[in-house]
């Protein structure tokens, strides 16, 4: 049974299912259950058939703020008055799905899936016609696929995804002017199109063609044209552009604008925190964490504390970092990021000089959780390899992750030659990252190429990541043939800790380059 990698590795995409991104997909062949899509001629739709009701729209606005119970309360009377309304059923499903996926409460899984089946049955029998009904069916099926995969019902999830994908294609073909379907189809097209070559046989088996270019076109259309789900489309497109096309400044400006317009919106605060963390702006990320809206009605997002723990670790605030990760582990009900949290607790204790506490946290890595997300896989590999970490390189790595590049270079001056291959590879890679962050690109290139030359076929991520970064640098300089070689080198690397996300980025970058000229 093949494992699909995390598909869009911007932070929010895996942790906030409000954006409807499947974090991973495990698949196997099985017959589809129902909801078979059929091709039909394009149709025009009346306004009533394409828009949410005012009440459903208000509930959805509350949900976008991650205020689940207020959203439910707004929708309650409308569900009684119009129990088969497509828009109302869709928003009700969004509420349940978002709560299930963010809280990661496995005891709620069966009830949520049963409610999804009931909503799909109601839509199947409904006399309502038009794109909103067909879109609601596809979107609810997509939610169900994500839930099934997350809670280890992989075969059902694979075929639910197939059904949703086919239905979305049918909606767009039948109602080409119905913009919300473009948002979801575009996201799926990009997601599937960014998968490495090794998964194409399985996608062909499922009948799911992907295209990075078509996905971006559809997302852009949904982001630019007014519709009920336009804010969501704008966010998805911006995060794709930040993650895969290095447009971090534009994305951050958009999210900052949204957060300023709605200071009571927890989703926007989360995005602002996540983006600043990814862009190595620790102070701004911590400011977003500390100013986030709290209080009754908001979903408790335990993962926020895990992100804050990382930021505090970058600053060397080890005790505060440990408190934040302990709070995360106490509040979080899911199985992912537990190993990563234990590893970060180990780092904080070890770097602060408490060897006994560090050993306790090291042993905790194997105590629970799964190794699906790359951070947990990295933590488990650290435990199993039993290779000692280099204190100087570890401090420098954390400083670079936090955006403290000059401090990292000062730390690296204390590096002593190591007999471990991993350390000999990591040292030039860390220098390259620090120089890159400072904009000293000639020095960055020197150390990236040195890392690539030293890496060979070793199973560490330093060489492939250096190749990816060199590809970006060459692309920015207009050296497109050289960029193509570096991106392909990243793809051709042996398995390493971050191969899934590295390969996805390299593949998207290659797809964005013009075709090589034949001489």
């Amino acid at each position: 049974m093949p494992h699909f990698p995390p598909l869009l590795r911007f932070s929010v995409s895996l942790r906030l299912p409000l954006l409807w991104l499947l974090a991973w997909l495990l698949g196997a062949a099985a017959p589809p259950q129902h909801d078979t899509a059929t091709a039909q001629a394009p149709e025009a739709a009346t306004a009533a058939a394409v828009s949410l009701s005012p009440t459903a729209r208000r509930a959805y606005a509350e949900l976008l703020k991650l205020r689940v119970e207020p959203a439910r309360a707004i929708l309650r009377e409308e569900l009684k008055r119009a129990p088969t309304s497509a828009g109302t059923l869709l928003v009700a499903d969004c509420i349940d799905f978002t709560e299930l996926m963010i809280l990661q409460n496995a005891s709620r899984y069966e009830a949520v899936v049963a409610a999804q089946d009931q909503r799909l049955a109601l839509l199947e029998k409904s006399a309502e016609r038009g794109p909103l009904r067909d879109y609601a069916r596809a979107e609810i099926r997509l939610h169900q696929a994500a839930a099934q995969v997350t809670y280890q019902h992989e075969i059902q999830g694979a075929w639910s995804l197939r059904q949703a994908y086919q239905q979305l294609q049918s909606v767009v073909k039948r109602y080409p002017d119905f913009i919300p379907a473009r948002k979801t189809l575009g996201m799926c097209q990009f997601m599937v199109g960014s998968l490495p070559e090794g998964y194409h046989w399985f996608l062909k088996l499922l009948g799911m063609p992907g295209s990075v270019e078509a996905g971006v076109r559809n997302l852009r259309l949904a982001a630019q044209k007014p519709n009920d789900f336009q804010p969501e489309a704008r966010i998805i497109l911006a995060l794709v552009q930040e993650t895969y096309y290095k447009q971090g400044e534009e994305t951050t400006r958009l999210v900052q604008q949204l957060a300023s317009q709605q200071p009571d919106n927890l989703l926007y605060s989360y995005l602002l925190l996540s983006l600043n963390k990814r862009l190595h702006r620790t102070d701004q990320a911590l400011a977003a964490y500390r100013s986030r809206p709290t209080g009754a009605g908001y979903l408790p997002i335990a993962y926020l504390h895990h992100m804050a723990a990382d930021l505090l670790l970058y600053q060397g605030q080890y005790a505060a970092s440990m408190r934040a990760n302990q709070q995360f582990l106490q509040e979080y009900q899911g199985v992912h990021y537990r190993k990563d949290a234990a590893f970060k607790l180990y780092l904080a204790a070890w770097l602060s000089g408490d060897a006994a506490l560090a050993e306790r946290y090291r042993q905790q890595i194997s105590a629970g959780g799964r190794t699906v997300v790359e951070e947990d896989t990295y933590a488990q590999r650290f435990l199993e390899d039993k290779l000692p970490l280099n204190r100087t390189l570890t401090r420098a790595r954390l400083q670079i992750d936090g955006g403290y590049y000059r401090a990292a270079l000062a730390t690296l001056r204390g590096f002593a030659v190591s007999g471990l291959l991993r350390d000999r590879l990591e040292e030039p890679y860390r220098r390259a990252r620090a120089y890159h962050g400072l904009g000293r690109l000639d020095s960055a290139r020197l150390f990236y190429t040195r890392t690539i030359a030293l890496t060979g076929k070793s199973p560490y991520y330093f060489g492939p990541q250096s190749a990816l970064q060199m590809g970006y640098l060459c692309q920015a300089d207009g050296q497109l043939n050289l960029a193509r070689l570096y991106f392909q080198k990243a793809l051709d690397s042996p398995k390493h800790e971050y191969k899934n996300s590295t390969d996805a980025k390299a593949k998207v970058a290659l797809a964005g380059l013009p075709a090589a000229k034949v001489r």
Side-chain angles (χ1 to χ4, degrees):
M1 186 178 296
H3 284 249
F4 273 51
L7 297 171
L8 291 179
R9 288 296 299 144
F10 36 75
S11 293
V12 68
S13 68
L14 289 182
R15 289 128 195 169
L16 288 186
L18 200 56
L19 304 182
W20 319 146
L21 299 180
L22 301 182
W24 51 86
L25 176 65
L26 312 176
Q33 299 166 7
H34 45 83
D35 287 353
T36 303
T38 56
Q40 300 186 43
E43 294 184 15
T46 63
V50 301
S51 300
L52 298 177
S53 70
T55 301
R57 195 175 294 122
R58 284 194 297 116
Y60 194 73
E62 286 298 299
L63 181 59
L64 274 176
K65 297 177 182 179
L66 301 183
R67 288 170 49 83
V68 163
E69 287 307 324
R72 246 187 215 118
I74 290 170
L75 206 62
R76 194 167 290 128
E77 288 303 316
E78 182 147 328
L79 279 169
K80 292 178 182 177
R81 182 183 60 80
T84 63
S85 164
T88 305
L89 289 171
L90 174 57
V91 174
D93 197 73
C94 291
I95 293 169
D96 286 353
F97 174 66
T98 299
E99 184 178 53
L100 173 71
M101 299 293 278
I102 289 181
L103 297 185
Q104 292 285 293
N105 184 350
S107 66
R108 288 280 303 143
Y109 166 75
E110 290 186 3
V112 170
V113 170
Q116 289 171 330
D117 284 337
Q118 183 180 18
R119 290 176 187 125
L120 289 168
L122 287 171
L123 288 168
E124 185 74 25
K125 297 174 184 176
S126 171
E128 182 177 341
R129 291 294 180 266
L132 186 58
R133 169 185 174 267
D134 294 349
Y135 173 66
R137 293 170 65 206
E139 193 87 355
I140 292 171
R141 183 64 74 192
L142 184 61
H143 299 170
Q144 190 170 71
Q148 287 166 333
V149 171
T150 300
Y151 291 93
Q152 299 178 271
H153 294 268
E154 293 89 3
I155 293 175
Q156 299 97 313
W159 284 97
S160 293
L161 176 61
R162 178 180 183 272
Q163 290 171 310
Y165 200 102
Q166 290 179 337
Q167 289 170 349
L168 286 165
Q169 289 176 308
S170 177
V171 174
V172 169
K173 185 172 183 178
R174 188 174 179 183
Y175 303 103
D177 295 328
F178 183 68
I179 301 302
R182 301 279 183 168
K183 177 262 302 179
T184 310
L185 179 62
M187 183 198 69
C188 289
Q189 288 171 322
F190 185 93
M191 175 183 73
V192 172
S194 67
L195 285 172
E197 298 292 332
Y199 297 101
H200 286 190
W201 68 271
F202 183 66
L203 297 171
K204 187 175 180 180
L205 176 68
L206 287 178
M208 288 170 48
S211 168
V212 167
E213 296 85 352
V216 171
R217 282 198 302 272
N218 277 320
L219 282 171
R220 185 170 289 117
L221 182 65
Q224 291 173 346
K225 289 198 172 185
N227 66 91
D228 286 322
F229 305 96
Q230 186 180 20
E232 189 182 323
R234 292 179 72 194
I235 292 168
I236 296 172
L237 177 63
L239 292 173
V240 164
Q241 291 171 330
E242 184 272 328
T243 303
Y244 292 98
Y245 299 104
K246 297 300 176 183
Q247 297 180 18
E249 294 299 330
E250 296 90 333
T251 301
T252 304
R253 278 197 295 272
L254 170 63
V255 173
Q256 181 66 67
Q257 178 189 30
L258 293 173
S260 298
Q261 291 170 348
Q262 293 188 27
D264 63 338
N265 191 309
L266 182 56
L267 171 61
Y268 295 158
S269 293
Y270 176 98
L271 288 167
L272 195 59
L273 163 58
S274 180
L275 278 167
N276 277 309
K277 182 174 182 286
R278 284 177 52 78
L279 294 172
H280 312 289
R281 297 169 179 170
T282 296
D283 295 343
Q284 293 95 319
L286 279 172
Y289 170 72
R290 289 165 178 154
S291 64
R292 70 193 186 281
T294 57
Y298 289 101
L299 272 179
I301 305 179
Y303 189 79
L304 286 164
H305 307 308
H306 185 46
M307 287 199 292
D310 277 357
L311 297 165
L312 294 163
L313 191 60
Y314 303 157
Q315 291 185 334
Q317 298 191 52
Y318 302 128
S321 177
M322 284 190 279
R323 286 194 298 272
N325 257 329
Q326 287 161 351
Q327 184 177 359
F328 163 69
L329 289 172
Q330 288 167 3
E331 296 180 5
Y332 184 57
Q333 301 178 57
V335 296
H336 308 298
Y337 303 102
R338 289 189 172 276
K339 293 181 183 294
D340 183 50
F343 175 61
K344 300 297 176 50
L345 285 163
Y346 163 80
L347 288 181
W350 176 61
L351 289 170
S352 63
D354 193 331
L357 183 59
E359 179 58 23
R360 278 213 313 275
Y361 286 133
R362 192 181 75 85
Q363 294 298 329
Q364 189 176 319
I365 293 172
S366 63
R370 298 173 64 197
T371 54
V372 175
V373 297
E374 290 178 327
E375 293 89 337
D376 289 334
T377 302
Y378 183 92
Q380 187 66 30
R381 179 170 176 175
F382 159 75
L383 180 69
E384 293 172 356
D385 284 355
K386 298 181 180 178
L387 289 177
L389 291 177
N390 182 289
R391 195 176 297 269
T392 298
L393 293 176
T394 301
R395 286 186 189 278
R397 174 186 180 176
L398 294 171
Q399 288 167 329
I400 291 166
D401 286 346
Y404 305 117
Y405 304 118
R406 288 188 175 83
L409 288 172
T411 298
L412 288 167
R413 284 198 287 270
F415 176 72
V417 176
S418 169
L420 293 175
L421 173 62
R422 186 192 64 195
D423 293 351
R424 297 200 304 274
L425 296 175
E426 183 172 1
E427 186 264 342
Y429 175 71
R430 297 299 168 207
R431 291 186 186 277
R433 297 298 287 160
Y435 284 124
H436 198 161
L438 289 170
R440 296 171 60 179
L441 301 186
D442 287 343
S443 296
R445 289 187 186 91
L446 172 66
F447 285 102
Y448 281 138
T449 53
R450 183 177 298 177
T451 305
I452 294 168
L454 290 171
T455 296
K457 295 296 183 180
S458 63
Y460 298 109
Y461 69 89
F462 310 117
Q465 273 291 313
S466 293
L468 181 67
Q469 296 303 323
M470 281 296 294
Y472 289 137
L473 289 172
C474 291
Q475 184 180 22
D477 284 346
Q479 299 173 297
L480 302 187
N481 288 334
L482 197 53
R484 188 175 288 105
L485 289 174
Y486 278 119
F487 290 138
Q488 190 61 52
K489 190 173 188 63
L491 279 172
D492 293 341
S493 65
K495 186 172 176 61
H496 56 85
E497 300 98 315
Y498 299 112
K499 185 164 178 61
N500 288 335
S501 57
T502 303
D503 282 5
K505 290 178 182 178
K507 184 178 179 186
V508 171
L510 278 170
L513 293 175
K517 294 181 179 178
V518 180
R519 295 186 178 182

